[in-house]
Amino acid sequence: MLNDAVGFSEIYIVCGRTDLRYGIDSLARLLRFLGIENPATAGTLYLFCGRRSDRIKGLVWEGDGFLILYKELANGSFQWPRNASEVKSLTPGYPSS
């Protein structure tokens, strides 16, 4: 489970499998290869998932450099799109009261 991502103006999921051994430079290079000319955009979070769907990495620009985030689930796995046809819209989910 991810906490509310209210601090981000946009969130992008990179479909498929990404080698999570990649660091900041390799992930930013991958984004450019995928057609994102300037991944250094404030408030934009890019999410990557590896072969095992129990961990993800995030890359976000903070104005003076990239911040890399890493999340590993203790139990369960993320439902990650492996190709573009599996991509769904991200909307904030709020529990009903």
Side-chain angles (χ1 to χ4, degrees), residues 7-83:
F8 303 110
S9 57
E10 295 180 291
I11 300 174
Y12 293 98
I13 290 178
V14 178
C15 297
R17 292 173 173 87
T18 303
D19 187 343
L20 292 187
R21 296 175 294 181
Y22 284 179
I24 290 173
D25 294 333
S26 296
L27 292 174
R29 193 173 319 124
L30 175 62
L31 291 172
R32 287 187 196 96
F33 176 78
L34 294 172
I36 298 169
E37 288 186 30
N38 184 17
T41 304
T44 302
L45 172 64
Y46 299 95
L47 294 173
F48 306 85
C49 186
R51 183 178 48 84
R52 299 172 63 183
S53 296
D54 66 340
R55 55 197 78 192
I56 58 174
K57 272 192 176 179
L59 188 67
V60 64
W61 179 257
E62 290 209 313
D64 59 352
F66 280 108
L67 171 69
I68 197 162
L69 307 165
Y70 185 81
K71 172 87 175 193
E72 181 177 349
L73 296 176
N75 296 307
S77 62
F78 294 101
Q79 293 182 7
W80 203 263
R82 296 302 179 183
N83 59 58

